[in-house]
Amino acid sequence: KRAEEEKAVIAEIGRVISSSLDIESVYERFAAATKRLVPFDRLAITCIDPQRNLAYTEYAHGTPVAGRQPGDLFPVGGSMTNEVIQKRRGLIVQIDSVDEIVRTHPGVTATFRAGLHSAMSVPLISRDEIIGVLHFRARQPHFYGEGDLQLAEQIGAQIAGAIANARLFSKLQEAERSLRESEARLADILFSIADWVWEVDEKGVYTYSSGKGADLLGVSRDEIIGKKPFDLMPPEEAERVKEIFDAIAARKAPIKDLENWKIREDGEKVCLLTNGVPVLDEAGNLKGYRGAD
């Protein structure tokens, strides 16, 4: 019966932590479900800052401990976090006296002074990398045993995956925000400058045109996309420029100050100066050109 109960709670913990990629929103429910399986007076998640050799408290529930509250940074050395990281396995420390804990695990002294006399910690491992440590603390001395440690390691494996996924999701969100900002910045620049910025594919077909192209030619951008530059030129000019462009493209060379004439929608001729750079794939094949008139 106990095994069935443990299995059910483990499954519930899995449902809780997979319910949202916003890890902050699931921590409290995670703590409540975990307490049904492994009782504690304090539960904390410590994450690692390897660049500065520091740790920080990501989440804490229950008895407060000075210097170990959410957001607190502390040195890794001398802590149970450091020992768990080095040994890559869970640990149980029974705290019988402050003198003993200062000698063996000085980083746990604040825990003892907060009235917590039993300590159990397990590594949080994702893709074979330790990303943090899950800590259980109890007031009663000699409270945790090997059975508790095994359950704690199962729980740690679940929350480690959730934390790693949440971090990845956060990075993706940040990348998307940066991309949107870059796109908005580029759109503002393209709107502000006097040049017509464009892209063509390997066949010389327009795949992008800034708004200035429409202004210059008296057509919409949709009427430019899908056409070639030569479609917008007088016949003799198109033949001349195509020969020059084909020779440049054959060498995958830049286009430098190529003077050419195009025809507006109203029949007026417009003289433009074209500059562009080749766009190559990883194998060095020509994918097209990107430039400005």
Side-chain angles (χ1 to χ4, degrees):
K1 183 178 179 181
R2 173 63 179 169
E4 289 176 357
E5 290 174 350
E6 290 174 356
K7 185 177 179 180
V9 175
I10 287 287
E12 181 181 345
I13 292 172
R15 288 191 295 272
V16 167
I17 62 180
S18 63
S19 62
S20 172
L21 285 170
D22 179 11
I23 195 69
E24 298 290 338
S25 69
V26 303
Y27 276 146
E28 286 298 315
R29 288 182 293 146
F30 163 74
T34 297
K35 195 167 189 176
R36 291 170 49 195
L37 197 59
V38 181
F40 58 81
D41 291 301
R42 174 181 168 86
L43 178 78
I45 294 173
T46 294
C47 290
I48 313 301
D49 184 350
Q51 302 297 326
R52 296 187 289 173
N53 196 31
L54 294 172
Y56 61 92
T57 305
E58 168 79 4
Y59 169 77
H61 178 89
T63 303
V65 174
R68 295 294 190 272
Q69 291 305 102
D72 286 343
L73 278 168
F74 57 91
V76 175
S79 65
M80 279 189 69
T81 295
N82 186 51
E83 191 169 349
V84 169
I85 292 171
Q86 291 181 342
K87 294 182 177 180
R88 295 182 67 88
R89 61 179 176 83
L91 294 173
I92 296 175
V93 174
Q94 309 299 346
I95 306 172
D96 294 317
S97 71
V98 69
D99 293 336
E100 177 189 350
I101 206 63
V102 167
R103 179 175 53 82
T104 59
H105 299 86
V108 190
T109 304
T111 299
F112 180 86
R113 287 176 174 157
L116 302 166
H117 290 209
S118 291
M120 178 171 66
S121 300
V122 296
L124 301 178
I125 302 175
S126 175
R127 296 181 178 89
D128 203 38
E129 176 187 357
I130 295 182
I131 61 172
V133 176
L134 176 62
H135 302 282
F136 296 81
R137 303 291 186 259
R139 292 183 177 278
Q140 182 179 330
H142 301 273
F143 188 70
Y144 296 117
E146 285 301 317
D148 298 308
L149 187 62
Q150 291 176 12
L151 290 172
E153 287 174 340
Q154 291 184 57
I155 296 168
Q158 289 187 310
I159 194 64
I163 292 172
N165 288 338
R167 286 181 177 179
L168 178 59
F169 180 63
S170 178
K171 287 180 180 178
L172 288 173
Q173 285 185 312
E174 182 60 33
E176 288 177 357
R177 280 194 294 271
S178 297
L179 180 60
R180 287 194 296 270
E181 290 173 1
S182 296
E183 288 175 341
R185 187 180 304 114
L186 179 60
D188 291 342
I189 292 170
L190 293 177
F191 178 81
S192 302
I193 63 176
D195 296 320
W196 167 21
V197 180
W198 48 262
E199 288 183 352
V200 297
D201 63 17
E202 69 277 6
K203 296 179 181 178
V205 175
Y206 285 114
T207 56
Y208 171 79
S209 172
S210 68
K212 286 298 187 292
D215 295 341
L216 283 169
L217 300 177
V219 296
S220 68
R221 280 197 289 184
D222 290 341
E223 291 177 279
I224 296 174
I225 302 300
K227 290 184 178 179
K228 295 182 179 181
F230 323 114
D231 298 333
L232 307 172
M233 298 176 180
E236 297 91 359
E237 181 71 351
E239 185 176 345
R240 179 186 74 84
V241 175
K242 185 178 186 306
E243 184 176 345
I244 297 173
F245 175 76
D246 288 346
I248 294 172
R251 303 193 312 272
K252 303 175 187 176
I255 303 169
K256 295 183 179 179
D257 296 335
L258 175 57
E259 188 176 293
N260 59 98
W261 290 84
K262 289 186 172 62
I263 303 178
R264 286 174 47 86
E265 181 72 9
D266 58 12
E268 180 185 353
K269 292 182 181 180
V270 182
C271 185
L272 301 176
L273 198 64
T274 299
N275 286 275
V277 293
V279 179
L280 308 177
D281 63 16
E282 293 180 357
N285 299 313
L286 184 65
K287 293 177 59 180
Y289 274 82
R290 182 179 296 128
D293 282 9

